[in-house]
Amino acid sequence: MPGFDFDQLRTFVAVAEAGSLSAAAPRVFLSQSSVSEQVRKLEERVGVTLFTRGKQGVTTTPAGERLLGHARQLLAQSERAWHDVRGFSLAGELRLAITDYFRPADVARLLRHLGVAYSSLRIHVTILKSGEIESGYDTGDFDIGLSMRVLGKALGRETVPGTRALGREPLEWVASPDLAPVVGTPLPLLVLPDTCALHRFTTQWLDEHRVPYTIAHVASGVAGLQLALSAGLGVACLNASAAGPSLARIATLMPGRRLPPLPEAEFHLLPARRGEPEWVTQAREALAAHLTAR
């Protein structure tokens, strides 16, 4: 009997929701070539074309749109079955804190998925900076915290022992494709407030590499930063999933200046606290399994 490969279905859903192979790649922690290969194999398996390719990305065909609904249900049902067999019973009010940089376009979809998979779980989400998440987590403000750090550079403090890594993304210099920086002037840098650890990392990184810059705009959050970038106000350092497909990735060489190569960022769930309810521990495991699934 014909059937589906669940890894291929996860990748298919990621591409359909992201709108391009490149934007989907960091969501499933695969290379773009691996994403393309999984989509190709799935189309061969079902015998129909699932995406229409274009210069702006991909869109689902009528067959792809039908499969998308089935795929979401199949993945949610698979997750429910997996955790039911292992004795998971998730019910209660869960306070979840997520860094502003974590797959901004995916947060709503993540909540929808959890709502379908665990209908008895009521989730309250707060979007914050990583340092605020970690300090609030220490004082019991949240049940589960998802934060980010730059590899080799702690975001706010040293990595908390027992954290669970969810995956890595490259940091990139990004700007509007229409940006035309003036040769001989400081780099127009767009950032979040200086309470943001990535702000502090970026300015320190430029200082260390002796790249002149000026703070051209301070946004309150990643969404505002994306708007400022799209408006051509300057250049920012962002992780791949926060950058989005509409922004241009800037090579290290720009007119009149050379930008330093950037390290990777890693997302992780903060460890279980002593004495936390068992269902919270189970919710963390379920969330980690969903976010690291390929």
Side-chain angles (χ1 to χ4, degrees):
M1 179 178 292
F4 290 101
D5 180 299
F6 277 69
D7 288 342
Q8 293 172 4
L9 286 182
R10 289 188 187 95
T11 301
F12 164 73
V13 171
V15 173
E17 293 178 342
S20 73
L21 301 181
S22 59
R27 301 184 183 191
V28 289
F29 304 111
L30 294 174
S31 66
Q32 182 174 338
S33 61
S34 295
V35 169
S36 178
E37 180 68 8
Q38 288 205 1
V39 170
R40 183 188 65 79
K41 289 181 177 180
L42 179 59
E43 289 182 325
E44 287 182 352
R45 181 184 291 267
V46 297
V48 295
T49 300
L50 300 174
F51 292 111
T52 300
R53 279 76 169 173
K55 292 182 179 180
Q56 301 302 317
V58 299
T59 57
T60 51
T61 62
E65 194 63 27
R66 292 195 298 273
L67 178 58
L68 184 58
H70 292 303
R72 287 172 174 154
Q73 293 177 14
L74 287 169
L75 293 172
Q77 182 61 37
S78 174
E79 190 166 335
R80 283 196 299 268
W82 174 261
H83 292 301
D84 182 60
V85 169
R86 299 182 65 191
F88 281 29
S89 179
L90 299 185
E93 292 194 10
L94 182 72
R95 298 168 302 163
L96 174 62
I98 303 177
T99 173
D100 207 10
Y101 293 101
F102 182 76
R103 309 184 200 171
D106 285 353
V107 172
R109 298 184 186 103
L110 167 64
L111 298 180
R112 179 177 61 193
H113 169 85
L114 293 176
V116 171
Y118 308 103
S119 56
S120 298
L121 191 64
R122 296 182 299 280
I123 305 174
H124 302 278
V125 176
T126 305
I127 306 297
L128 293 169
K129 310 298 183 289
S130 290
E132 294 172 325
I133 291 172
E134 293 178 4
S135 61
Y137 190 73
D138 285 344
T139 57
D141 294 344
F142 316 111
D143 298 309
I144 297 177
L146 193 166
S147 63
M148 181 182 82
R149 72 183 182 97
V150 177
L151 295 182
K153 297 274 187 178
L155 285 183
R157 64 181 181 179
E158 293 301 320
T159 304
V160 179
T163 56
R164 176 156 181 183
L166 300 176
R168 298 177 179 182
E169 294 183 12
L171 291 176
E172 302 170 327
W173 297 111
V174 295
S176 166
D178 300 324
L179 178 68
V182 179
V183 176
T185 61
L187 180 74
L189 187 65
L190 310 185
V191 291
L192 268 59
D194 57 11
T195 54
C196 169
L198 192 55
H199 171 141
R200 298 195 297 272
F201 162 76
T202 304
T203 53
Q204 179 185 351
W205 198 246
L206 291 172
D207 288 338
E208 288 179 0
H209 291 82
R210 300 180 179 180
V211 177
Y213 64 89
T214 183
I215 303 297
H217 180 78
V218 179
S220 60
V222 169
L225 188 60
Q226 291 171 333
L227 288 174
L229 285 163
S230 297
L233 300 186
V235 176
C237 168
L238 280 175
N239 55 298
S241 66
S246 64
L247 297 174
R249 275 60 174 174
I250 299 175
T252 55
L253 185 62
M254 289 183 66
R257 64 176 62 87
R258 186 180 294 275
L259 297 180
L262 292 164
E264 289 184 312
E266 181 178 80
F267 293 100
H268 56 258
L269 289 173
L270 299 178
R273 286 193 296 260
R274 182 178 299 177
E276 75 176 12
E278 177 62 24
W279 72 269
V280 173
T281 303
Q282 293 177 344
R284 184 181 293 100
E285 293 184 19
L287 185 62
H290 172 68
L291 294 174
T292 56
R294 296 190 176 187

